[in-house]
Amino acid sequence: MKKYLIFVSVLLLSVGIFVPAFAREQTIETHMESVIMLDVARRYYSVDEIKGYIDVLAEHDNGTLQLHFTDDENVGIECEFLDQTVEYATESNGVYTNPVTGNQFLSYAQVKDLMNYAAAKKVEFIPEIDMPAHMNGFFTLAINKFGEYYVRNRYDWDNPANSGIAWGTGDEAGNLDLMAPHAKPFAKSLLNEYTKFFAGLKYFHIGFDEYTFRPEMKIDYANELYDYLVSKGFQPRIWSDLITKDNINALNSGYEITYWGWKQDDITETNYATVPDLVSAGFKVIITNKYYLFFVPSLANTTEEVMADRIANIENEWELEKWNYNFDGGLNNHDGVLGAMVAVWGEDSDGVDNNVINAHAKDMYRAMFPKLDTYTETIDIDDD
């Protein structure tokens, strides 16, 4: 038998087949997901500037870029359904401007370039199309295409088909009227376009923050959107303020939650679902503590002194256990916590230079990253 084994080994080597004789251990280190969310609806960033964020995220594994493409002020990406395309836009040095709204947006070709760049850098790319609130950007485009009546006609109880898709006023002006017959088909037309364009990505963020118009309908609609996005091949994500202690068990727990919190020190005394509530109910959570990890740049808060204090607060005070404001409690372990996010918003940023925003946001991210958990796994590999 020994002679036979020697003969087989020599034969395999003679025909160029390598038979590994030994194995060695290799330790693989992975980190929690680390996210930068960039609001490209309310502030324009060039492709090169956004690539700069991807470069920072690529410094570590599990980096993720979430682009908040739509909000009340603007739709920051092409929208063929509502005629915001490069064909109808003015263009200057690669910057496209909608001549009706005067707002700038990224073309589909530019976004595809960003997606490819992120993939090459092994950075996850997440689009956020925010609905059913924060939709005034879409409504402005819809009024231009379909008319004011289609969007703003108040709900007609005698003939619902005559109702506009968004007759709310004041704080509710940007909310889709889920009761109106044309509202969901309008949203579905948008989602059909964007899910087709972003097909192949892992995640799709549907927004759903601060929806106040038809609160009794929001959970059913959120579940409807979940099923739709899953049918298109995506893992859906959603903002946290939709969820309360009363409705938490009615929402599909397959959603991954980006938790931004509120400004109460002890949110446990309110009806809003906490991170421990969400984890207990089976949800996975990304923490983006509003006090530490929200960046809403303005002329007042982007001075070197203010930003140095912000970075110091993240480095010296913030931990994952502080999932809301500066309240620390209830999160006994990190089970169910996927990671954390620096969220860069644009609504107050008039007059602030992009270079200032970019530098400070990246500093915040680099201060946040060391606070995330690191996991190690030892595997056996062939020693060749």
Side-chain angles (χ1 to χ4, degrees):
M1 178 61 74
K2 184 181 294 186
K3 291 180 179 179
Y4 175 74
L5 290 175
I6 293 173
F7 171 75
V8 171
S9 298
V10 172
L11 177 63
L12 290 174
L13 288 171
S14 70
V15 296
I17 299 176
F18 175 72
V19 182
F22 303 99
R24 60 186 175 87
E25 291 185 344
Q26 177 175 319
T27 299
I28 299 175
E29 183 176 89
T30 59
H31 300 89
M32 279 184 159
E33 186 176 345
S34 55
V35 189
I36 295 176
M37 189 230 74
L38 191 62
D39 179 0
V40 297
R42 290 179 285 198
R43 186 176 184 95
Y44 181 81
Y45 297 88
S46 71
V47 170
D48 285 343
E49 286 173 325
I50 299 172
K51 285 182 177 180
Y53 283 92
I54 294 172
D55 290 339
V56 171
L57 289 159
E59 293 173 357
H60 308 282
D61 61 318
N62 284 341
T64 298
L65 177 69
Q66 178 175 319
L67 292 186
H68 180 82
F69 279 112
T70 68
D71 214 293
D72 283 326
E73 292 84 351
N74 185 35
V75 175
I77 185 173
E78 277 200 71
C79 182
E80 293 177 354
F81 172 55
L82 297 178
D83 296 338
Q84 179 167 278
T85 64
V86 296
E87 178 184 1
Y88 297 116
T90 61
E91 185 270 333
S92 176
N93 296 319
V95 179
Y96 296 94
T97 301
N98 186 319
V100 174
T101 67
N103 292 328
Q104 298 167 327
F105 64 91
L106 294 166
S107 72
Y108 276 147
Q110 290 171 326
V111 177
K112 180 65 73 173
D113 181 25
L114 290 169
M115 292 161 61
N116 291 337
Y117 189 80
K121 294 279 187 172
K122 298 182 179 179
V123 169
E124 202 76 56
F125 186 102
I126 302 181
E128 181 189 344
I129 305 297
D130 201 356
M131 56 177 61
H134 295 287
M135 291 187 68
N136 263 335
F138 285 126
F139 297 157
T140 299
L141 298 180
I143 288 170
N144 183 61
K145 182 169 184 177
F146 300 119
E148 183 85 21
Y149 187 89
Y150 172 83
V151 176
R152 293 294 178 194
N153 192 43
R154 295 181 71 83
Y155 190 83
D156 188 336
W157 293 95
D158 295 324
N159 188 356
N162 286 336
S163 305
I165 61 174
W167 63 266
T169 58
D171 290 341
E172 296 174 339
N175 285 218
L176 194 71
D177 182 0
L178 295 177
M179 190 182 292
H182 303 299
K184 287 184 181 180
F186 174 81
K188 188 72 171 293
S189 295
L190 294 170
L191 288 175
N192 282 341
E193 176 175 340
Y194 289 120
T195 55
K196 181 178 179 181
F197 176 75
F198 290 114
L201 295 180
K202 181 176 180 180
Y203 298 101
F204 195 104
H205 200 295
I206 201 62
F208 226 121
D209 56 316
E210 300 179 319
Y211 183 72
T212 58
F213 192 36
R214 302 285 189 191
E216 73 282 1
M217 302 180 71
K218 63 184 181 180
I219 292 297
D220 286 344
Y221 187 52
N223 287 337
E224 187 177 330
L225 291 177
Y226 178 89
D227 292 339
Y228 171 82
L229 291 173
V230 168
S231 75
K232 298 295 184 179
F234 296 101
Q235 166 61 57
R237 286 187 171 178
I238 199 168
W239 290 105
S240 57
D241 58 280
L242 163 73
I243 314 168
T244 67
K245 292 177 171 64
D246 295 329
N247 65 29
I248 189 170
N249 293 320
L251 181 66
N252 194 312
S253 62
Y255 268 118
E256 293 180 358
I257 311 299
T258 43
Y259 193 95
W260 63 276
W262 301 85
K263 204 172 178 179
Q264 291 89 354
D265 287 359
D266 188 352
I267 198 173
T268 59
E269 299 302 317
T270 75
N271 195 40
Y272 289 105
T274 67
V275 169
D277 291 336
L278 292 167
V279 171
S280 295
F283 292 94
K284 303 293 186 183
V285 181
I286 298 283
I287 293 173
T288 177
N289 185 310
K290 182 180 179 181
Y291 180 74
Y292 291 100
L293 302 180
F294 261 35
F295 182 30
V296 188
S298 68
L299 288 173
N301 70 11
T302 50
T303 64
E304 290 294 335
E305 181 180 2
V306 171
M307 287 308 304
D309 286 342
R310 182 181 294 272
I311 299 303
N313 286 340
I314 298 173
E315 292 176 338
N316 300 326
E317 298 178 13
W318 181 73
E319 302 290 345
L320 279 170
E321 285 74 19
K322 289 188 177 180
W323 43 265
N324 181 74
Y325 202 53
N326 58 1
F327 170 69
D328 187 347
L331 193 64
N332 297 321
N333 56 56
H334 297 164
D335 295 344
V337 178
L338 297 174
M341 170 198 288
V342 169
V344 185
W345 299 100
E347 59 264 40
D348 296 332
S349 63
D350 285 352
V352 185
D353 189 89
N354 270 13
N355 290 329
V356 173
I357 296 174
N358 297 343
H360 288 325
K362 292 169 187 177
D363 285 345
M364 288 179 64
Y365 170 79
R366 290 186 172 113
M368 175 193 76
F369 183 84
K371 302 300 186 78
L372 304 182
D373 289 347
T374 301
Y375 306 101
T376 57
E377 178 185 5
T378 302
I379 62 173
D380 291 332
I381 62 171
D382 293 333
D383 188 356
D384 54 13

